[in-house]
Amino acid sequence: MTVENLKNVILAEAYKNEDVYIVYVDGALTAFFDDFAKQFPNKFINVGIAEAEAISIASGLALRGKTVYVVGLAQYVTARAYEQVRMDCAYNNANVKIIGFISGLSSCKAGYSHWAIEDINLMSNLPNMTVCCPGSDVEFREVFKYSLKHKGPMYISWNTAKCAMKKYSVDVNKISTIYDGCDFAMLTYGADVSFGIDFCENMIKAGLSPMLLSVHTLKPLDVSKINEILDMNIPIITLEEHLYNGSLASRVSEIIATRGLKVPFMPIYIGDSEFNILGSVKFLRDRLFNVKDIENSIVDFVQKNKTKNKKYRLVYSIHKFDKKGRLVENVYFCGLKLLKKRKKINKDKYKYYLFGFLPVN
Amino acid sequence: MNDELRIRRVKQYLFQTAQKARVGHIPSSLSSVEIMYVLYNKIANITKNNANNLDRDRVIISKEHARLGQVAVLADAGLIDSKLLDKFMCDEDSILGHDLYGAVSKRNIDAIDVACGSLGHGLPFGVGLAWDSKYNVYVIVGDGELQEGTNWESIIFIGAKKLKNITLIIDRNNQQIDNYVTNIVDTYTNIARQIEAFGFDVLECDGHNIDELERVFNAKTAKPKCVIANTIKGKDCRFALNEMGFGRFHAAPFSEKNFQKVCQGTEIL
């Protein structure tokens, strides 16, 4: 997501809403807030390079009934100011929304001092805290909208990875389905959503039917949806730029273990490896993830567990309407056929519906 | 009832509560009882009727070890029910212990505003309360507590932004849990000059003298105000220090014998 995107969403609200205050830890974004700071010098506080103080000040403001957004580098507003977040925001249930920008490995070349690869774990540990990690523009907007209504502390991790342009419906308390399929399910969030979309598009071209899910809200986690996927008994992959402890992978493992299921599961996360390196995001992902060559490893993993996938096929129905909106044709397609034909069909005349899952012998 | 008698009543509440609940932190509380008494009764605009309003003055006890004293002062001033003292730090009492979990947004315990069980939180919290507001905020910080870095982040901020509706009050008793402050990291000796250098007007006074405290709190200053109140940790019960040693004197409950001694010294009415 781009910085303009972040700025526009926050400022659009801050301009019109009297109770929205911004506490900003000096970083690379000052210029973006310049106009706002000039117009509302009281509603924008640049505390300087002082994360711990920023969180406490925000909590003080929240005590007066304000909705306060703390904007700062993800690593510093979470790990460095952890005690303040714990005491002043979480246990006090203060209405403070912490936006940690450049999360994950986004600040790749700055080294591990700047990477936020434990933030989800740290924030999820705290009571009252809601943890969101939007992966696309549409998700960030929805999460922000939710944060205005929600009373209580919230952590929003914001990354600078390529913004996924795909449109899909987002409900903050539920896992969003980006692609629905039956060959394997991929759960991811944050920077990896755009990776997941690219990857799944390739898989579709290769003749597979992937399911891609964006877990933008990590606390509270939509456990019922995860259970639903586990019941389908298809290979499951989690992918995230985060250390294992407290990650999505660990949560899904917990659910699998607690239910005593035997599901093919491939967690991909940042392993405990050598961290004294830096470079491009791609280089870091190759070196730091527990799985090397992610794309091919996933394909191998899915192929290995293929016999199980054949149990279900997606069935779509295509409805053709005439000018008056009357149904003239109703055709059912199984998974791939539809996707191949989709491009040729004039979209105005047809509507697609997911009909359901059909067992295949 | 005059101030002297009321202070004695506050201390009686304090000792009774500590004795009943078998808790310590008596010396820390005695150090700032008069400061809190003056703030709640004469300076801050906090009454029983406006206690739950958002636009009243705030008193933040950042040195949370004085919670016992604060509760006694509030009970004396009628801002909390004195029956609450019987439950202080007993089972199921999460209200009046070291912390005040949930106090900020879920329930306001009358005049108590902020949970500061961990040191160095009160001053930045106070900055957030004072920023862009019309009421006054008073923050009591211990001199040993000034070793925490967040205090200095806020002192820089207050000085730089010339925030005038927040008053920093330093309870300067030269003692922390293990030893004298001067023997550990000295935030005692030159503190007035140090704070002045950050753009404060510093007023010094005897922290146990009610008239003097009232005078400095009402004094008008050109810059943000810092009141340094020179106090004695464990005033009225210094004898316990020799017997208990530094750490236990700070935090442990007194023996029955010591309780008898302090109670005899403050028999009232």
Side-chain angles (χ1 to χ4, degrees), chain A residues 270-285:
Chain A
I270 295 176
D272 264 340
S273 50
E274 292 273 325
F275 287 106
N276 52 354
I277 50 166
L278 46 85
S280 66
V281 176
K282 193 180 176 311
F283 169 78
L284 289 173
R285 285 167 75 98

Side-chain angles (χ1 to χ4, degrees), chain A residues 205-224:
Chain A
K205 277 176 203 158
L208 281 168
S209 162
M211 182 191 279
L212 179 64
L213 300 144
S214 173
V215 192
H216 40 71
T217 308
L218 288 131
K219 193 194 171 194
L221 190 64
D222 182 4
V223 179
S224 62

Side-chain angles (χ1 to χ4, degrees), chain A residues 233-254:
Chain A
N233 202 23
I234 53 175
I236 292 180
I237 297 136
T238 61
L239 172 62
E240 61 205 311
E241 277 179 10
H242 196 280
L243 292 172
Y244 181 75
N245 285 338
S247 64
L248 179 63
S250 76
R251 313 269 189 88
V252 175
S253 310
E254 273 167 30

Side-chain angles (χ1 to χ4, degrees), chain A residues 21 41-42 44-47 50-53 56-57 59-61 63-65 83-84 87-88 91-94 128, chain B residues 54 58 100-102 104-106 114-118 121 124-125 127-129 131-133 135 150 153-154 157 161:
Chain A
Y21 277 59
N42 291 339
F44 180 84
I45 313 173
N46 187 342
V47 294
E51 290 80 9
E53 190 200 10
S56 291
I57 290 179
S59 306
L61 283 163
L63 181 64
R64 289 159 48 193
E83 218 234 1
Q84 275 68 23
M87 270 287 297
D88 300 345
Y91 279 96
N92 275 332
N93 201 13
N128 298 325
Chain B
L54 286 175
R58 313 292 163 112
L100 253 151
Y101 293 147
V104 174
S105 61
K106 281 184 185 155
V114 183
C116 297
S118 171
H121 285 247
F125 215 116
V127 172
L129 281 167
W131 177 269
D132 190 25
S133 65
Y135 52 78
T150 41
E153 290 181 7
S154 306
F157 187 88
K161 304 280 178 189

Side-chain angles (χ1 to χ4, degrees), chain A residues 138-150:
Chain A
V138 53
E139 283 179 8
F140 183 67
R141 278 172 198 281
E142 285 301 318
V143 166
F144 189 81
K145 247 189 246 168
Y146 179 82
S147 75
L148 287 165
K149 284 183 283 174
H150 177 73

